[in-house]
Amino acid sequence: MSTPLPLLVFAGSTRAKSFNRQLASVAAERAQAEGAQVTHIELADFDLPIYNADLEARGTPAAAIRLKELFHAHPAWIIASPEYNGSYTALLKNTIDWVSSPIKGDPLWSSGTKPFAGKVVGLLSASLGALGGLRSLSHLTPLLLNLQCWVAPKQFALSRAGEAFDPDGQLSTEAARNAVHGVVDQVLWAGQRLRA
């Protein structure tokens, strides 16, 4: 690509041996190989309490503002979402709630959709089960659409994730690698065309 596309990559998990963190790393490596300007973040590095409007009224946490800046600065994202109880994680929802909450009187962040509107988002998931966390993506998609994101039609849910990675953290089958590449490549293709 002529001008590198800034791409934000993260997983909705902070677990040390998270399969979704591994999947996010695989996606980030693919995007970088394809010429994207990748920012791969760990949500554990952002200290956010559970969203509470009364708490917010005392001041938006610095971590929330930094995440607003990161989300806004990247026209395309890849999210690897674990599945808890058939949906996405509380960590991921809490992150989105803080980032989407408008800051009253702030000229930059008075609109809650500003960090989200028009972003191209690719979705991945991984789980030990046969569905690969697919249900988390079916819940996450409408949430992102409501925030005015453009969600890539290609998605991938990695089943039986406990057997899916080699000792170096790479996907062990060509089919899985091709599926991740398909999502990443579609996001990069659309991101270049839809970026402002």
Side-chain angles (χ1 to χ4, degrees), residues 2-196:
S2 53
T3 304
L5 180 75
L7 176 73
L8 183 67
V9 180
F10 61 95
S13 175
T14 57
R15 216 166 51 86
K17 296 185 178 180
S18 163
F19 299 124
N20 285 277
R21 290 180 60 228
Q22 289 184 67
L23 195 57
S25 293
V26 169
E29 288 174 12
R30 169 65 179 190
Q32 200 157 29
E34 290 299 307
Q37 181 185 323
V38 177
T39 303
H40 185 185
I41 63 171
E42 296 285 354
L43 293 184
D45 295 333
F46 298 85
D47 185 19
L48 286 177
I50 296 296
Y51 178 79
N52 179 303
D54 292 337
L55 179 62
E56 183 183 37
R58 298 197 291 270
T60 300
I65 294 173
R66 180 65 185 133
L67 282 165
K68 286 176 184 286
E69 293 168 346
L70 282 167
F71 279 37
H72 180 64
H74 293 80
W77 315 336
I78 299 284
I79 303 173
S81 173
E83 181 181 288
Y84 287 9
N85 295 316
S87 191
Y88 45 80
T89 61
L91 170 69
L92 186 52
K93 180 62 162 60
N94 191 55
T95 299
I96 291 171
D97 287 346
W98 273 112
V99 174
S100 65
S101 184
I103 302 176
K104 294 182 179 72
D106 188 305
L108 280 178
W109 306 116
S110 59
S111 168
T113 58
K114 180 177 178 177
F116 296 88
K119 305 303 180 182
V120 174
V121 185
L123 297 179
L124 305 169
S125 64
S127 83
L128 293 171
L131 295 179
L134 186 63
R135 292 174 298 178
S136 74
L137 304 187
S138 72
H139 288 193
L140 187 55
T141 297
L143 172 64
L144 293 168
L145 291 173
N146 185 63
L147 289 165
Q148 302 177 29
C149 294
W150 188 93
V151 180
K154 283 189 180 180
Q155 300 180 358
F156 176 55
L158 178 67
S159 61
R160 298 180 176 84
E163 309 158 13
F165 295 93
D166 66 24
D168 296 322
Q170 300 300 313
L171 290 167
S172 55
T173 69
E174 185 177 3
R177 289 192 296 271
N178 287 342
V180 171
H181 294 174
V183 174
V184 171
D185 293 352
Q186 188 173 71
V187 167
L188 298 182
W189 179 87
Q192 282 286 25
R193 284 152 182 80
L194 297 178
R195 69 195 295 189

